[in-house]
Structure formats: C-alpha cells, structure tokens
Amino acid sequence: MKILCITDQFENSNHSSIEGIFGTHLKELCTVYIVYFTKTSGSIRIKENKIYIPYSYKRKNITGELNKIIDLNQIDSVIARNFFPVLKDVLKNKGRYNYHVGFWHSFPHTFRRLFEAKEENRAVFRKAIEYKIKTYLEKKLVKKCDFLIVMSKEFKDTFYPDTDINYLPLPMGVNFNDLPSYKPDSNPIKKLIYTGTVDRLRKTDLIIEAISELKEEFVLDIFTQSSNETTRKIKNMGDGRINVYPAIPRKELFNRIADYDIGIGLIPENDLYNVSSPTKTLEYYSIGVPALVNYLPEYTYLFNDESAFFCSFTKTDIQRAVKEILNTPKEKIFEMGMKGRKIVKEQRDYRVLSEKLYNFLTNIYKQ
C-alpha cells in the first residue's frame, strides 16, 4: 500500500503526530510520502519520502504538480490535512488517478473563528453567517471523501454528526523512543511545569492567578512560543515562584520535563476544546510526570484519581487541587506518573496509533 499525506505544515516543522505516525512508524508498514509547503523555493522537490512544494500551489493544481514528482496512479490513498482547497483539488482528480481520498481534520479552525468572536463579543453576526456558509461548503467536500480522520469521537459527533462516512479517531500520541524518566528528588518544594500555548481562549491567566494566590512554596515554569497580552500579564505579576520561558526544541523540552514533579494540563471544557487531544499532557506522562487535569473527555477516558490530579476548571478547585499536590509525597507522585505512563504507552504510543491507521486504511482499500 502506498499513501500520500499532504500536510498543513511548512518545511522544517516537527509536528508530533505527522512525524510520529507518517514520518516514523507507518512507513515501516507501507510506502509513505509526506508533503510539506515551502515559501522559500519556487519549485517542487523531493528528498527521500518528503516532498516540498511551493505554498502557492495550496490553491491551484497541487495534484498535477505532485504527479510530476511521483506517479499518482501508483498511490492507493491520498490524505489531505486541514486545508480544504487542497482537498478540493485532490477530489477533483480522484477519477483521473484512481486513488482513495481521506480528509484529516485535526482542529476545528473554522469554528474557532466563530468561537473567538463570541468570546470577544465582536462581529458575531457576520462570523456566524461566514461559519454557516463555510461549513456547508466544507461538509460538501468531506462527504465526497472515502474516509475521514478526526482527533476524537467527540470531534465527529460535534462537527460531522450528519456525515455518513468511514472515520477513524486518531488522537495525539507520543514517540517513546529514547525518552528520559522522572525521578523524584529530596527537595521538599514541588516543581510544576506548563508547556504550550498561553492565551485568553485557554484561560491561562485564570490558571496562573489561582495558583499565584496560594501562600505555599512552589516553582511553576512556563515554556511557550506565545507572546501576547496573557504572557505579559503573567510576567507583570511579579511572583518569583512563577517564570515564563521561551519554547525550546521538543527533545530538549523532554529532558527538562524530567526535572519537574507535576505537569499542568488544564484546558477549558467547551465546544472548542472538548473535541481535542492535548499533546503536552501526554508528553508529561511519557516521561512519568503526572498532571493536574480537568474533566475533558480525553482526560476522563485515559486517567483516574490513581494516575492524575483532577479538578474543575474554576479558581477555587484549581487551588484545592494544587494544595493537594503540594501536600502529596514525591514517592506517591512518582507512582501516579508510572501508572499514567503505562496507560499512555499502551494507548497513545505512535507505534500503536500507526498500526490502527494502517489497519483502517487496509480495510478501506479492501472495500
């Protein structure tokens, strides 16, 4: 079986699931080509199994250009990720090259714009009309596909409830190769870590405000690419226990995570994030660091009170849970992390997810 995955990523990106599944484990089972976009070159090129194509082809004749590099008649399945203009062109040429078409919808970007407008109470009517029109056109394309890949069952139920199509929930995962391990030390002060996006939609300011109001000693380090009103607000709090650092490469970050006792995995429970699969929390557990989490479907599916510290997404309950963490012996925290790591390795190792995707595509091909 030969698979072509047209990503929504740019050259030199290191996306967790694209690299973990298509760039590593899936190519052990079949032939895989991965397409990335580039803004630094005007010509298409291929290096091993990775193809780099000018971003200008996102909206025009991407299939024809790819056929100049690889014979699309030999491809069994083409998977387009998130970009509907790409999906449109791939579908248009399906009969010509006789491949199966799948759409990999990993995040509801169209809905996010409406959700953000409602949060800001700005241009809501216009955004609602735009959302209705765009989703109508997007669903028309998806219904023409042979299969759909989404982040979770909740994603399918929320955004494609009336689309009768073969679909696979493909959550985020972790590549378990060469990872460090959390080892508790004798320092009585607990070290907490938050990695990833910091912004108003994720209500990071509420999380940090709740923790900063505690009188106990702790360290909370935040590693993020974000630079916005929320990060400035956190820095201006002047709390010496809380630090904001720039994002660092994933391999280096994993080595740093091993020095912390608890990961912060709190994400608001709403229509935007209930369908998600939080990568950073899985990364904490891959190293054996347990997390403070709330009641997202992904969290309640994977973890329980023996492997995670649960709380509601409110200031008072976050404070209660952090106090519980600060009073928990590090040996107990270590045990919780090991239990969570076992769960994540059994269900979210990219090797396991790659096998599920391969079996799913094999069945599609047989049909």
Side-chain angles (χ1 to χ4, degrees), residues 175-270:
N175 196 335
F176 275 82
N177 297 336
D178 303 320
L179 289 181
S181 296
Y182 164 67
K183 292 183 176 61
D185 56 32
S186 58
N187 189 338
I189 297 177
K190 302 294 195 310
K191 294 177 66 179
L192 289 70
I193 184 171
Y194 178 104
T195 64
T197 303
V198 171
D199 64 14
R200 190 174 41 75
L201 287 184
R202 288 182 182 253
K203 299 186 178 179
T204 324
D205 52 348
L206 184 149
I207 299 168
I208 305 305
E209 282 177 15
I211 297 174
S212 69
E213 289 177 6
L214 298 176
K215 303 302 182 185
E216 290 83 354
E217 285 298 314
F218 61 83
V219 172
L220 170 56
D221 290 340
I222 301 166
F223 293 85
T224 181
Q225 288 182 341
S226 304
S227 178
N228 51 38
E229 182 183 346
T230 304
T231 55
R232 289 189 291 273
K233 182 178 178 181
I234 295 170
K235 291 176 181 177
N236 292 336
M237 290 170 65
D239 190 327
R241 301 168 298 178
I242 301 172
N243 309 285
V244 179
Y245 298 106
I248 55 179
R250 183 177 287 115
K251 186 173 182 180
E252 183 182 345
L253 178 62
F254 282 168
N255 288 327
R256 295 289 291 271
I257 291 172
D259 293 331
Y260 291 85
D261 302 298
I262 295 290
I264 305 295
L266 299 172
I267 296 178
E269 296 156 46
N270 53 46

Side-chain angles (χ1 to χ4, degrees), residues 33-77:
Y33 295 99
I34 311 171
V35 179
Y36 294 90
F37 290 94
T38 177
K39 290 184 177 180
T40 60
S41 173
S43 59
I44 187 171
R45 68 187 192 280
I46 185 169
K47 184 178 180 181
E48 297 177 349
N49 70 322
K50 295 184 178 181
I51 301 170
Y52 305 97
I53 191 167
Y55 185 65
S56 58
Y57 288 108
K58 172 189 172 185
R59 297 186 180 276
K60 63 172 185 179
N61 197 34
I62 189 170
T63 313
E65 292 301 311
L66 289 171
N67 192 53
K68 295 176 183 178
I69 296 290
I70 57 172
D71 183 2
L72 292 184
N73 288 294
Q74 301 299 314
I75 298 296
D76 298 302
S77 294

Side-chain angles (χ1 to χ4, degrees), residues 182 190 261-262 290 328-337:
Y182 164 67
K190 302 294 195 310
D261 302 298
I262 295 290
T328 300
K330 288 191 176 183
E331 292 74 16
K332 172 65 174 177
I333 289 175
F334 176 76
E335 291 175 7
M336 293 176 70

Side-chain angles (χ1 to χ4, degrees), residues 1 12 14 55 76 130 146 148 155 166 198 205 231 259 280 298 315 329 358 363:
M1 184 163 57
N12 298 322
N14 186 23
Y55 185 65
D76 298 302
E130 288 176 358
D146 297 290
L148 173 67
F155 195 117
N166 287 309
V198 171
D205 52 348
T231 55
D259 293 331
K280 302 302 180 182
E298 173 81 336
K315 182 180 286 189
Y358 177 77
N363 289 332

Side-chain angles (χ1 to χ4, degrees), residues 77-90:
S77 294
V78 177
I79 299 171
R81 187 177 194 270
N82 289 331
F83 285 162
F84 284 95
V86 171
L87 177 61
K88 184 177 182 180
D89 188 76
V90 169

